Structures are given as structure tokens and as C-alpha cells.
């Protein structure tokens, strides 16, 4: 019997249809065999019934074959089938008798129906019925007496009727069985259909949600949330796509940098800085429109890609003029300067990634040469030559640090009133066999650009510690200061590096100081201030170098951990001849005295300058008036003389 858990709905439906047809045919056979067809009738009704039984037999064969194909039969079930077919074939031995030929189809239906049940007890019953039937038939066949034929006829007719009733009973039972299954399956199908409709709706909603999420992710991946411009990833992808397109021949890249954005963030707030970026982007978009693809590729950098020939200098001048007027930020008017690096090239001559690098080189030149004012620089191949020279110098500098070829001279600082030496500033000097004397202004910048500044700082600090211990052997009289790069100052481990080196060299923090330019502090205020505070708390003396040339702010002087203000040489040069310089120096000294901060005048070369500074109550003096930078031994000898 088919399992109620069978999931093959087609097989169950086909079996259900068979049993439904079986019941109708069996009823026709019962009526025809018992009430319609006499024993010796060979008229048309009998042939009709035989035709119906033939169709019935064909239906059984189709059903059996369907089960054999669609079900995985075991050996026992195949044996049942062979027995049933054997009995059917055996029944045809009696084809010569009307009784045998007329009822063989009935027993074929009986045996096939029982086969479908696949139960041993039903097969045994079928065999008993069949043997009884055929035994009586054989007796009648072998004894041609009328009495035997008549009795055998009615016995066989009774057996055949019993067999058909039995088939009808089994058919009804299986019909109800499969009817329940079909109804259950139909209900399940309806439920699944409803579930599929609901699932389809959910899938559509999910698809819409995924599309929305994809759009959001795409926007986050390729667009800047602040300016709504495309970002660096989009710019590079677009540049690559345009470069590889067949129609491209000439293209131009401009990179714009917003000058002093860090200063704006520190002085005002990051929200004001964001508004500046947004306003600059908006103005560029209005100016260029569809002429260029505009992308924000960095914190303060915006790139523009122009396809085809373009008058890039005219466009750059328009951009410079655009930012000649202050930006209208709520409650603030800010004058913002921009620098632009430009490269224009043919596709056949320059790869797109090289073109981007060239634009960046031109931008660096614009920033270095025109800082504080809006300007543009067009890339020239000579700039690359300069870059290669810098790379060569950086390699030689790396070797010089490793081999100890960087010398350190010391320029002493004097008390303004007593003129006594109270400290020294360490100054790095590099004499190279190929380049000759290399200015610190040059090799320090290269060290910053090529990642050598930290090693250079540690190298010089070791020399400073050695000198500090030597000149303070008896007592702590002299503070030796070292200049610190802004690149070093913003590193998270800067404090640990300085303190660790002091510990390794067994140098007291009280005899060492650091000097940091005003610009370096203000450009990285948030990261620089904690490092300076921790170093000061550890005992180091902090000096702000070149004061007055950067972004001086009274508010920050009060908050920053500063011990000494070093007044820039540019003010000292004109202190005796310029009322403005005199006023500026006096104001700085007075302000520092009010805040309890010492002052140190740099670059003092004349006695008249010294006298003015003394009158203004400047705390200390440093310059050629007292001494030029001298070697370790000369500086040590001067302290011994004192």
C-alpha cells in the first residue's frame, strides 16, 4: 500500500483515479455477470462486457507500470507482482471455455488490486480464490457431464461474484484512503499556495529593501556624506574608466587644497571646518557645472577631472578669483585660500596614475611656495627631477643617521640682565661629501616627507642627553633644548619615546627642554597638547618657537603648557628701526609677563637690539651678539670657564 507520508503527489493522484474507475467497472461487471449474461450467451452484451474488461485490464497495466517506474520496489513486492502475473497467464489456459476466458480478466483485476495493496494476507486470499476457481473449472473441463457443467458454472459464478465483491470492497477501502490523502494534499497545496503568495510578497519587499540598501551602500562607498561629491574611490575608478575608453585623447587633472583647514578646525570648531569644506565644494560645483567631475579625495583636497582639451590656466584663474572673496559661514566671514596642482597630458604619453601623481607634485609645490595665498602651479617635468633628487638625499640622510655623520652644534642662551649662560639650543648640522653643507631647512623637510624624522629626532636627542649630563655634572644650571618636528609631536607614542630615551641614557628631565614652532602646535592642536602636557608634567621645559609668525592667539597661550615664548628673528631685525616691530615685541613681552611665561629673543646680533630688549624686560637673549652655534667641546669649555 502507498505510504500516507509519500510526497509523490502525482503517484497518489493516479492511484486515486484508478480506484475510482475500478469501482465503476466492478459494479458493471457484477451486474453483467450475475444478471445480464447467461452461461451460453455469445451476443453483443457479452462482447461489450468483455470489451469493458479488456479496457479494465489495460488500465491495470498502466497503473502497475506507473508504480514500478515511480516507486522503489523491494524484492518482496516484485515477487507479488510475478505471482499475480503468473496466475493471470495460467487463467488463459482455459481460454477455450467461456467461463475461463470470461472471468480471467476479473481475477487479473483481483490479483493486481491485491498487488497494489502489497500485503501478504491479501495475496494469500487471492491465491486461494484463484486456485478454487481454477480447480472447479478443471473438473468441469475434464468431466464433460451436464450436471458437472451446470454445478461448476454456478459455483464458479459464485466465486467470480465473490471475487468481484471482494475487489469492490478493497477498491472502496482504497478509494476512501486515497480520497483522504488527495483532500489532505489539496489542502496542503492550498496552504502552500497561500504561503508562496506571502513568500512572494516578502521576497518583493526584501528585494526593494535590498535595492535600497545597495543604493545606500553604493552611496557610502562612492560619495562623500559631507559635500555630496563623489569620493576618492569613485574618482580613481572614473579616471581609470575614462582613460581606457577609446574616445579619450587628452585629459586634465586639478587637485585643490584648502589652506589652513586644521587651523580653522582648532580655532573655531570642526563644524565650522565642515561648513568651509561644504561651501568650497558647492562653489566649485556652481562654477564648473558639467565641465568636470569633482570629487573630494582627502580631508582638505578636492580633485577635478576634465575630459578633452580645456583651457586649464583660465579655469584655474577663475577658481582662484572665486575664493578671493570671504566665505559666508553663519555668523562668520572667513577668508580661505586655496592651492591648486594641475597636470594636462595626452593619453599616449602619460598613464592616469602617473598623471595623478604629477598633479599632486604640482600641488605640493603650490603649497610650499604660495602658502597663505591662493595660487595654482602647472606640473613641469623638472619638478619630478627635484623629487628624484629629494629621494636621493633621503637615502643619504638615512645613511648619515645610521653612521653618525649628523653633527650637533650648540648655541647658548643668556640671561638678559646678568648675561650669564643659562642654556643651549641643539642645532643639527650635515656636511655631505657630494652635496656639501646641507641646510637644516632642507634636510629636515626631507626627513619629514620620507619618514625619517623620528629616527633623526632620537639621534639628536641622544646627543643632547650626553651634552646635558656633561654640562650639568656638578649641578643643574643649564637646560639643553631640542627642536621637535610637528610630525613627531602628533604621534601617539611621542611621549613614551622621549621619556624612554631619557631613562635609557640616565638623563634627568629637568635639564632637557623641547622647542616646537607655533605653527606646528596650532596645526595639530588636539593631538599636540596632550603630549606637551605630559612632557611638562614629567619635568621637561616647553618653548614655543618662532612666536608671532603663525596663528597667535591669547586664548591658546593661556591654555597651552608653555614655559618660554621665543620671539621670532623677523621682529628682532627691525626692533630698532620699525615702530611696528618694536610695538609687537613689547606687546609679546608684556603679555608673557602677565601670563607668567618667560620670553627669549632669537637672532639678536647687535648691541642696540640687546639694549632695547633689556629695556622691554625680555627674559633671555639668543643670537650672534653673544655667540654663534659652537661644537660640543667648545660649548662644554664655555661652561667650565663660567
Amino acid at each position: 500500500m502507498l505510504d500516507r507520508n509519500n510526497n509523490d503527489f502525482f503517484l497518489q493522484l493516479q492511484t486515486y483515479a484508478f480506484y475510482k474507475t475500478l469501482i465503476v467497472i466492478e459494479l458493471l461487471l457484477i451486474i453483467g455477470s450475475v444478471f445480464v449474461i447467461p452461461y451460453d450467451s455469445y451476443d453483443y452484451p457479452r462482447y461489450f462486457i468483455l470489451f469493458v474488461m479488456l479496457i479494465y485490464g489495460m488500465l491495470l497495466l498502466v497503473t502497475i507500470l506507473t508504480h514500478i517506474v515511480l516507486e522503489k520496489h523491494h524484492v518482496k513486492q516484485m515477487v507479488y507482482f510475478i505471482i499475480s502475473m503468473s496466475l493471470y497467464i495460467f487463467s488463459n489456459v482455459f481460454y477455450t471455455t467461456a467461463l475461463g476466458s470470461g472471468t480471467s480478466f476479473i481475477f487479473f483485476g483481483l490479483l493486481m488490486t491485491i498487488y497494489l495493496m502489497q500485503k501478504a494476507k491479501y495475496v494469500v486470499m487471492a491465491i486461494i480464490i484463484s486456485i478454487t476457481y481454477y480447480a472447479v473449472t478443471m473438473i468441469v473441463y475434464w468431466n464433460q457431464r451436464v450436471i458437472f457443467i451446470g454445478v461448476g458454472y454456478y459455483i464458479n459464478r459464485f466465486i467470480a461474484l465473490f471475487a468481484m465483491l471482494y475487489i469492490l470492497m478493497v477498491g472502496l477501502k482504497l478509494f476512501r484512503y486515497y480520497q483522504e490523502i488527495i483532500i489532505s494534499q489539496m489542502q496542503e497545496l492550498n496552504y502552500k499556495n497561500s504561503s508562496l503568495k506571502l513568500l512572494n510578497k516578502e521576497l518583493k519587499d526584501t528585494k526593494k529593501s535590498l535595492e535600497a540598501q545597495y543604493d545606500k551602500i553604493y552611496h557610502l562607498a562612492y560619495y562623500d556624506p559631507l559635500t555630496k561629491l563623489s569620493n576618492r574611490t569613485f574618482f580613481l575608478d572614473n579616471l581609470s574608466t575614462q582613460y581606457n575608453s577609446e574616445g579619450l585623447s587628452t585629459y586634465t587633472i586639478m587637485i585643490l587644497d584648502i589652506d589652513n583647514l586644521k587651523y580653522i578646525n582648532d580655532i573655531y570648531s570642526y563644524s565650522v571646518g565642515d561648513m568651509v569644506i561644504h561651501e568650497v565644494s558647492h562653489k566649485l560645483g556652481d562654477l564648473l557645472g558639467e565641465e568636470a567631475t569633482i570629487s573630494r579625495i582627502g580631508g582638505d583636497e578636492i580633485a577635478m577631472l576634465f575630459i578633452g582639451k580645456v583651457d586649464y590656466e583660465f579655469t584655474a584663474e577663475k577658481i582662484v578669483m572665486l575664493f578671493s572673496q570671504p566665505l559666508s559661514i553663519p555668523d562668520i566671514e572667513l577668508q580661505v585660500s586655496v592651492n591648486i596642482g594641475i597636470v594636462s597630458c595626452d593619453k599616449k604619453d602619460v598613464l592616469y596614475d602617473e598623471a595623478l601623481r604629477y598633479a599632486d607634485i604640482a600641488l605640493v609645490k603650490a603649497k610650499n611656495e604660495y602658502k597663505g595665498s591662493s595660487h595654482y602651479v602647472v606640473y613641469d617635468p623638472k619638478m619630478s627631477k627635484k623629487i628624484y633628487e629629494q629621494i636621493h638625499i633621503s637615502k643619504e640622510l638615512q645613511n648619515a643617521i645610521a653612521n653618525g655623520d649628523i653633527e650637533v652644534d650648540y648655541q647658548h642662551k643668556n640671561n638678559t640682565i646678568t648675561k650669564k649662560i643659562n642654556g643651549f639650543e641643539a642645532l643639527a648640522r650635515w656636511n655631505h661629501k657630494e652635496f656639501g653643507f646641507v641646510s637644516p631647512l632642507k634636510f629636515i623637510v626631507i626627513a619629514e616627507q620620507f619618514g625619517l624624522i623620528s629616527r633623526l629626532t632620537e639621534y639628536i636627542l641622544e646627543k643632547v642627553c650626553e651634552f646635558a649630563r656633561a654640562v650639568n655634572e656638578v649641578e643643574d644650571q643649564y637646560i639643553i633644548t631640542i627642536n621637535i618636528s610637528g610630525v613627531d609631536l602628533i604621534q601617539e607614542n611621542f611621549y613614551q619615546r622621549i621619556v624612554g630615551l631619557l631613562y635609557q641614557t640616565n638623563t634627568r628631565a629637568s635639564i632637557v627642554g623641547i622647542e616646537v614652532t607655533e605653527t606646528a602646535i596650532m596645526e595639530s592642536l588636539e593631538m599636540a597638547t596632550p603630549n606637551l602636557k605630559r612632557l611638562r608634567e614629567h619635568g621637561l621645559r616647553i618653548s614655543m618657537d618662532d612666536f608671532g609668525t603663525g596663528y597667535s592667539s591669547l586664548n591658546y597661550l593661556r591654555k597651552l603648557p608653555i614655559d618660554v615664548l621665543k620671539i621670532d628673528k623677523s621682529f628682532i631685525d627691525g626692533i630698532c628701526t620699525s615702530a611696528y616691530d618694536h610695538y609687537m615685541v613689547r606687546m609679546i613681552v608684556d603679555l608673557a609677563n602677565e601670563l607668567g611665561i618667560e620670553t627669549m629673543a632669537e637672532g639678536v646680533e647687535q648691541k642696540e637690539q640687546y639694549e632695547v630688549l633689556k629695556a622691554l624686560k625680555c627674559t633671555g637673549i639668543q643670537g650672534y651678539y653673544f655667540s654663534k652655534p659652537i661644537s660640543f667641546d667648545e660649548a662644554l669649555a664655555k661652561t667650565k670657564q663660567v
Side-chain angles (χ1 to χ4, degrees):
M1 186 183 295
L2 292 177
D3 189 353
R4 191 178 285 269
N5 294 322
N6 194 335
N7 292 322
D8 194 336
F9 180 64
F10 170 74
L11 186 62
Q12 294 174 345
L13 186 61
Q14 194 262 2
T15 307
Y16 169 71
F18 161 68
Y19 285 117
K20 191 172 183 179
T21 308
L22 170 68
I23 293 168
V24 176
I25 294 177
E26 287 297 327
L27 288 173
L28 289 174
L29 289 176
I30 291 171
I31 295 170
S33 297
V34 179
F35 301 104
V36 177
I37 306 174
Y39 167 72
D40 56 352
S41 172
Y42 288 93
D43 54 8
Y44 291 109
R46 181 176 182 83
Y47 293 135
F48 171 73
I49 294 301
L50 291 175
F51 175 74
V52 171
M53 288 191 290
L54 179 63
I55 299 300
Y56 175 41
M58 292 174 65
L59 177 63
L60 284 169
L61 282 174
V62 171
T63 304
I64 294 301
L65 290 174
T66 303
H67 278 262
I68 290 174
V69 171
L70 296 181
E71 283 194 323
K72 296 179 180 178
H73 285 272
H74 299 292
V75 174
K76 183 180 71 172
Q77 296 164 348
M78 294 304 298
V79 169
Y80 292 163
F81 176 68
I82 292 170
I83 292 172
S84 300
M85 290 302 296
S86 298
L87 289 172
Y88 171 65
I89 293 169
F90 181 71
S91 71
N92 280 277
V93 173
F94 303 98
Y95 182 76
T96 55
T97 68
L99 192 61
S101 60
T103 56
S104 59
F105 286 110
I106 297 172
F107 286 97
F108 176 64
L110 169 68
L111 295 168
M112 291 303 98
T113 303
I114 291 170
Y115 160 73
L116 293 175
M117 293 289 288
Q118 296 179 4
K119 295 290 185 180
K121 63 180 181 179
Y122 295 117
V123 174
V124 172
M125 177 66 74
I127 293 171
I128 292 172
I129 293 172
S130 298
I131 291 173
T132 304
Y133 174 79
Y134 294 130
V136 173
T137 302
M138 288 171 67
I139 292 171
V140 172
Y141 179 73
W142 289 334
N143 297 275
Q144 298 294 324
R145 298 177 184 176
V146 176
I147 186 171
F148 282 103
I149 294 174
V151 173
Y153 170 80
Y154 287 108
I155 291 173
N156 279 358
R157 181 56 61 93
F158 173 77
I159 294 172
L161 180 61
F162 175 79
M164 286 186 287
L165 289 172
Y166 187 78
I167 293 172
L168 181 62
M169 178 193 71
V170 173
L172 286 170
K173 179 180 178 182
L174 292 175
F175 171 75
R176 288 194 298 270
Y177 173 80
Y178 283 105
Q179 187 180 43
E180 292 177 5
I181 291 179
I182 297 303
I183 292 172
S184 174
Q185 292 281 6
M186 292 300 293
Q187 290 174 344
E188 185 176 351
L189 283 176
N190 290 334
Y191 173 75
K192 288 182 177 179
N193 186 46
S194 301
S195 299
L196 286 173
K197 288 181 180 179
L198 181 61
L199 180 61
N200 185 48
K201 183 179 180 301
E202 291 177 353
L203 287 174
K204 288 181 179 179
D205 294 340
T206 303
K207 181 183 177 183
K208 290 180 181 178
S209 175
L210 288 174
E211 287 175 349
Q213 289 182 24
Y214 173 80
D215 291 341
K216 184 178 180 180
I217 292 171
Y218 179 86
H219 201 273
L220 289 173
Y222 289 101
Y223 287 87
D224 175 53
L226 174 62
T227 62
K228 310 305 179 186
L229 296 175
S230 54
N231 60 15
R232 183 180 187 86
T233 303
F234 180 91
F235 183 82
L236 293 175
D237 288 350
N238 182 51
L239 179 59
S240 174
T241 302
Q242 295 290 349
Y243 180 84
N244 292 316
S245 64
E246 294 182 359
L248 180 69
S249 59
T250 304
Y251 61 100
T252 300
I253 299 174
M254 294 186 184
I255 302 179
L256 177 146
D257 178 83
I258 304 172
D259 198 19
N260 300 331
L261 186 61
K262 288 184 178 180
Y263 166 71
I264 293 171
N265 287 333
D266 292 338
I267 295 297
Y268 297 99
S269 67
Y270 278 95
S271 61
V272 173
D274 289 345
M275 283 188 279
V276 168
I277 296 170
H278 184 273
E279 186 67 15
V280 170
S281 304
H282 181 72
K283 283 181 173 291
L284 281 174
D286 289 344
L287 177 67
L288 300 177
E290 300 296 326
E291 187 180 351
T293 300
I294 307 174
S295 305
R296 185 186 180 194
I297 62 172
D300 54 2
E301 289 185 351
I302 298 173
M304 293 153 279
L305 174 63
F306 300 82
I307 301 300
K309 291 184 179 181
V310 63
D311 189 346
Y312 51 83
E313 290 195 270
F314 176 71
T315 303
E317 287 173 0
K318 286 198 300 182
I319 295 173
V320 170
M321 288 296 296
L322 180 66
F323 296 105
S324 62
Q325 300 298 323
L327 295 181
S328 296
I329 306 297
D331 302 325
I332 307 172
E333 275 201 353
L334 282 176
Q335 182 64 57
V336 175
S337 59
V338 297
N339 293 297
I340 308 169
I342 305 171
V343 63
S344 184
C345 46
D346 290 332
K347 174 182 177 179
K348 64 183 182 206
D349 297 331
V350 182
L351 295 174
Y352 71 89
D353 52 347
E354 290 180 344
L356 190 62
R357 183 166 59 86
Y358 293 159
D360 197 50
I361 291 172
L363 176 63
V364 171
K365 182 175 177 63
K367 289 169 65 176
N368 291 338
E369 295 187 4
Y370 303 102
K371 191 168 186 177
S373 62
S374 296
H375 209 278
Y376 68 88
V377 170
V378 180
Y379 173 78
D380 187 289
K382 294 179 181 178
M383 297 178 188
S384 292
K385 183 180 179 182
K386 183 177 180 181
I387 292 294
Y388 296 139
E389 288 177 356
Q390 290 177 338
I391 293 173
H392 181 49
I393 293 174
S394 71
K395 291 179 180 179
E396 292 299 315
L397 178 60
Q398 185 175 0
N399 293 331
I401 295 171
N403 298 330
D405 294 335
I406 304 295
E407 299 177 355
V408 179
D409 287 346
Y410 300 90
Q411 186 175 38
H412 57 73
K413 306 172 184 179
N414 299 73
N415 181 281
T416 307
I417 304 299
T418 64
K419 295 186 178 182
K420 289 184 177 181
I421 299 173
N422 55 17
F424 291 85
E425 178 182 358
L427 301 168
R429 297 290 183 263
W430 184 25
N431 287 286
H432 189 268
K433 58 183 179 180
E434 178 184 349
F435 310 131
F437 176 76
V438 184
S439 168
L441 297 176
K442 184 175 184 178
F443 73 77
I444 288 176
V445 171
I446 291 175
E448 291 176 337
Q449 291 176 344
F450 289 88
L452 300 173
I453 191 64
S454 296
R455 293 172 60 185
L456 180 61
T457 299
E458 292 173 3
Y459 172 86
I460 297 172
L461 184 57
E462 288 182 5
K463 300 284 187 181
V464 165
C465 289
E466 180 185 0
F467 181 71
R469 293 195 307 274
V471 297
N472 291 289
E473 188 175 9
V474 178
E475 58 178 325
D476 294 351
Q477 295 182 345
Y478 309 103
I479 297 174
I480 317 304
T481 61
I482 176 176
N483 290 283
I484 298 297
S485 164
V487 176
D488 268 331
L489 193 59
I490 62 175
Q491 293 181 2
E492 291 184 2
N493 65 342
F494 176 67
Y495 168 79
Q496 288 82 357
R497 285 170 45 218
I498 298 299
V499 172
L501 207 149
L502 292 175
Y503 177 79
Q504 290 175 13
T505 58
N506 196 27
T507 304
R508 298 178 298 281
S510 58
I511 57 176
V512 177
I514 65 172
E515 297 188 13
V516 187
T517 64
E518 178 185 5
T519 301
I521 294 175
M522 299 308 297
E523 285 184 347
S524 53
L525 189 62
E526 287 192 355
M527 298 187 69
T529 303
N531 278 330
L532 292 175
K533 283 183 177 179
R534 294 182 69 184
L535 288 172
R536 191 186 190 201
E537 290 169 358
H538 194 74
L540 279 80
R541 193 171 177 84
I542 310 297
S543 301
M544 180 182 282
D545 203 2
D546 300 337
F547 185 75
T549 60
Y551 314 106
S552 306
S553 169
L554 301 180
N555 184 47
Y556 279 103
L557 278 181
R558 182 173 56 85
K559 293 180 179 180
L560 287 170
I562 302 298
D563 298 299
V564 180
L565 283 182
K566 298 190 72 175
I567 306 170
D568 190 70
K569 184 178 184 300
S570 61
F571 295 110
I572 305 302
D573 288 342
I575 194 172
C576 299
T577 57
S578 169
Y580 173 79
D581 289 342
H582 186 278
Y583 170 77
M584 287 297 296
V585 173
R586 180 167 61 83
M587 184 184 70
I588 292 170
V589 171
D590 290 344
L591 173 64
N593 289 336
E594 288 291 328
L595 294 174
I597 300 174
E598 296 181 13
T599 51
M600 176 71 63
E602 293 184 288
V604 179
E605 298 178 351
Q606 303 170 5
K607 182 178 180 181
E608 292 80 7
Q609 294 172 338
Y610 166 74
E611 295 295 340
V612 172
L613 290 166
K614 182 178 179 182
L616 292 176
K617 298 182 180 180
C618 181
T619 312
I621 303 293
Q622 180 182 349
Y624 277 42
Y625 176 67
F626 284 107
S627 173
K628 65 179 182 180
I630 53 180
S631 66
F632 180 106
D633 294 332
E634 291 174 313
L636 181 61
K638 276 201 172 186
T639 60
K640 299 299 182 183
Q641 292 173 4
V642 174

